[in-house]
Every structure is written in C-alpha cells, then in structure tokens.
Amino acid sequence: MKKNLLLLHGALGSKEQLTELEEKLSSDFKIYKMNFSGHGGENFPDEPFSIKLFSDELVKFINENNLQGIDVFGYSMGGYVALHAALNNAGTGLINKIFTTATKFDWNEETSKKEAGMLNPEKIEEKIPAFAEQLKQRHAPQDWKQVLNKTEEMMLNLGKNPELKESDFEKIQNEVLISVGDKDNMVSIQETKNTSEKIPNAKFLLLENTPHPIEKISVDLLSGEIKKFFK
C-alpha cells in the first residue's frame, strides 16, 4: 500500500506547478495537492493572506480527506505553512514527516521589504511581461494583481511579526528535512542551516546546482531526495 504524500505550492504559485513532480512520485506514493485560497483560481478569502490562514486551510484539507498522519512536502511558502501547522497541532498525529525546500525562515522588516518590493504588478508587467502573463493564467479567473498585492501585505506583516518565531522551531517535534539550493538567490544557506539546527529532529540538505524557482529545480534530483526521506 502506497504512503500518502501531500505537495504544497509556494507564494504566487499553484498546485499545477507540482504536476511534473507528482508524476515522478506517483509510482511510490499516493499524491495529494491543494491550492491555498486566492491561488490557482481559488476564491479569495474574506481575510488577508497569512501563514495562519493557509495553515488552517492545510489542516482542514487533511481532516476533510481523512489524511491524518500524512507526510508533507512544502516548496517555499508551503514549507513554512507545513511547519506552522505541525507546531500548532503537536501531539495530534495530524502531520508526520515534513520536507521543505527553498523556504525562507529569516523574516524581519528588512528582508520582508526586499521580498515585497519585487511584487509590484505594474513593474512586472513592464519588465517581465511573460511572467505577468504566466501569473494571469495561473490564477484565472481571479485577478493575479490582487494575488501579488495580498502576498506583499503578508510578507510585510511577516517582517513585523514572523508567524514562526525562533523559539517556535524548538517546539516542533516532527522529523523534518530542511533543504535549499546552492544557487538560491532568495533563501540563504545559512538561514536554512540555522533553522534545521533549531528543530530537534531536523536535518539539513544542500541541493547542488539548484536555484529558487520550482520550475528550475531538477525534478529527478528533488523526487529522488523526497523518495529517500519519506521511504
């Protein structure tokens, strides 16, 4: 019987970005995917984007699909959400092992302003129109510009009040693999290593020749590491 594995997308992303990874893993796992609200065409929530909101949606998805005890792979923001859900549901057996890649942990006002500064819809339309069109299609029929604006607001709030504080990582009891690419220009190797050292049952993994965007990460490399960790 195959183990269940849930794949979580990152900020500005959707579950469709994980289709190729799903195909590589489907012979070993029963794969589940979900879109966070406002992403991939899902309706916008009544409240602002936040890690807590997406964490609650993750918990709801697991419970509604009777997937208690599921393993979770989270790309970028998805990894942060998975750890948040694990922390806030400790002892319930809701989530088993967690594998994160390209997840930013070092949130402060300086880093959040830098990240948020790259989310101006007008600048993206002007300077990288192909990416703007990609976002438009990815989030249709919702307004992709609203996705960016809500994500910018979330990042600025994270800078003022990180939803996972340093002391929180020490309380996470799940077995965790924290990974980052050696060519990631958004997430540093050091912040990733530091976080892995704070979580009692975590290990660090450096992915060679790997940048940040999920589309540029080797599916063979990533799927291989996922299979090893969740075996």
Side-chain angles (χ1 to χ4, degrees):
M1 186 174 174
K2 294 179 184 177
K3 291 178 74 176
N4 294 328
L5 176 61
L6 175 57
L7 309 180
L8 299 178
H9 67 78
L12 309 184
S14 79
K15 64 183 182 181
E16 297 309 316
Q17 291 177 290
L18 302 167
T19 298
E20 193 177 352
L21 182 60
E22 175 186 15
E23 290 169 355
K24 284 281 184 183
L25 295 169
S26 58
S27 60
D28 295 82
F29 304 94
K30 185 171 183 183
I31 301 295
Y32 291 84
K33 297 185 298 183
M34 61 174 285
N35 281 324
F36 296 119
S37 57
H39 295 75
E42 298 292 331
N43 290 332
F44 284 109
D46 295 330
E47 59 189 275
F49 282 0
S50 69
I51 298 301
K52 183 184 182 304
L53 168 69
F54 297 145
S55 176
D56 289 345
E57 291 175 356
L58 168 57
V59 172
K60 183 180 178 183
F61 180 89
I62 292 172
N63 286 328
E64 286 183 346
N65 290 279
N66 296 313
L67 297 172
Q68 292 81 2
I70 195 168
D71 292 325
V72 179
F73 166 78
Y75 165 71
S76 194
M77 181 188 76
Y80 201 94
V81 170
L83 291 172
H84 186 281
L87 172 70
N88 288 282
N89 293 273
T92 65
L94 185 83
I95 294 173
N96 187 27
K97 295 164 76 171
I98 299 170
F99 184 137
T100 76
T101 197
T103 296
K104 184 156 195 66
F105 298 106
D106 182 19
W107 289 102
N108 54 56
E109 292 200 51
E110 183 182 348
T111 60
S112 66
K113 283 178 183 176
K114 180 183 175 185
E115 298 292 331
M118 296 188 287
L119 300 180
N120 184 302
E122 287 69 34
K123 284 184 181 177
I124 290 174
E125 271 188 318
E126 178 188 347
K127 295 184 177 180
I128 30 178
F131 182 49
E133 183 59 31
Q134 196 178 69
L135 290 172
K136 181 180 178 182
Q137 293 180 17
R138 180 181 300 161
H139 301 298
Q142 305 303 337
D143 181 1
W144 68 276
K145 293 182 179 181
Q146 195 174 351
V147 177
L148 265 72
N149 291 335
K150 285 179 172 290
T151 302
E152 178 185 20
E153 181 185 10
M154 178 181 72
M155 287 183 174
L156 291 172
N157 288 333
L158 271 173
K160 295 172 186 172
N161 184 29
E163 294 191 57
L164 282 175
K165 297 177 173 58
E166 285 202 19
S167 58
D168 289 330
F169 293 113
E170 299 165 7
K171 301 171 189 171
I172 296 170
Q173 295 301 312
N174 304 64
E175 190 175 342
V176 182
L177 184 60
I178 308 278
S179 71
V180 68
D182 58 356
K183 294 185 177 179
D184 194 318
N185 59 3
M186 294 182 68
V187 179
S188 73
I189 293 172
Q190 195 58 54
E191 72 182 275
T192 309
K193 259 187 180 173
N194 289 346
T195 301
S196 71
E197 290 167 0
K198 292 188 183 86
I199 300 173
N201 297 309
K203 292 181 180 177
F204 170 77
L205 173 67
L206 184 64
L207 299 171
E208 292 186 4
N209 199 31
T210 299
H212 185 83
I214 187 70
E215 292 86 358
K216 295 184 178 181
I217 298 176
S218 164
V219 179
D220 288 333
L221 173 63
L222 189 54
S223 63
E225 294 295 347
I226 287 172
K227 288 175 185 179
K228 278 194 280 185
F229 180 64
F230 291 121
K231 66 183 177 182

